[in-house]
Amino acid sequence: MEAQKKTIAFIGLGAMGCPMAGHLIGAGFKVSGFDVSEGARARFAAKGGQVRAEVSSALCDADFVITMLPNGKIVRDVLLKDENCRSLKEGCLVIDMSSSAPMDTRELAGELVGRGVRFVDAPVSGGTKRAISGSLTIMVGGDGKDIDEALPLLKALGTQIFRTGPIGTGHAMKAINNYVSGAGVVATIEAVLLGQKFGLESEAIVEILNASSGKTNASDVKMKQFILSETFDSGFATGLMAKDIRTAADLAKVLELRLSALDATAALWEDAAKKLGPGSDHTLVARYLKDR
Ligand code: NAD
């Protein structure tokens, strides 16, 4: 069967999931979507997506199941819930594109494989902008043949696709990436606060960092765009950043590594999520850092 004739159940149609599911429809796949939020379901329907009223009805005829949910615990709850689990077709391939915790992923994959369901983890980087343009970076962990089968779908969503190793390595890589990203956001904002206090212009600080060795993803695509402009609308929530960095810190603990900057960054983002609210845009951490 040609890949495009296959059916995809897409669970989680939020800021990332909705445009991603839209690209799969655009690539010719038959996509059934589900989200607990009525607004998210309506936005997907407006893109021409087929909305299902229950997860189980999306799963029952799916060759592929893509999850793009807030965290791995929700992925687990959704997939292992009795009626949902019974609905999974034998041999179907679950692709968890959420930023889930790698140890939990390995456990979940083991349980699914025991029920005749295959699994790869394929989290993404690039934010809502690159979800919309279909140019995400995707890191994929799993069996080589399963990844080969997932590739036509992943190519509709991203331009850089990396095979990271066995199941769970994609999720580990994503948490590691977001540790560096989150630490970079904090370092860049603190650098601007320091420079401003000494009398430097904030725009100039960002421009000079971008032309120097202090350039970060935050100085390049966040400072002027969302923070100095005070739009604070990057589309990535503070609670999600805190979760991802905590995932990296938990992984270090399991592996008996003491990484003090990672621990400090995880604690800072958790406190920021508490003070700003988990649903706030993560670029608002600038206000949190200024107020401290
Ligand atoms: P989001 O909150 O916009 O979307 C998540 C969606 O899942 C929501 O629409 C929510 O209603 C739905 N949902 C929650 N529980 C559900 C359930 N039990 N069944 C069905 N639907 C359910 O979040 P997002 O920004 O789209 O992020 C999704 C995932 O992608 C997260 O794991 C996040 O860490 C990761 N991610 C986000 C970005 C970003 O820039 N936003 C970038 C890379 C990775």
Side-chain angles (χ1 to χ4, degrees), residues 264-284:
T265 309
L268 185 149
W269 278 98
E270 273 171 349
D271 190 51
K274 210 156 78 187
K275 305 253 161 66
L276 298 167
S280 63
D281 195 273
H282 81 289
T283 53
L284 272 167

Side-chain angles (χ1 to χ4, degrees), residues 189-232:
I189 294 168
E190 286 189 346
V192 171
L193 289 173
L194 174 63
Q196 275 176 335
K197 187 93 181 173
F198 193 69
L200 285 151
E201 294 283 344
S202 38
E203 300 254 335
I205 300 169
V206 174
E207 276 161 31
I208 295 166
L209 286 175
N210 283 339
S212 310
S213 53
K215 180 176 175 175
T216 60
N217 175 266
S219 67
D220 194 21
V221 302
K222 294 182 183 175
M223 281 307 298
K224 282 194 183 178
Q225 296 83 341
F226 307 117
I227 296 172
L228 298 182
S229 65
E230 300 195 341
T231 57
F232 302 114

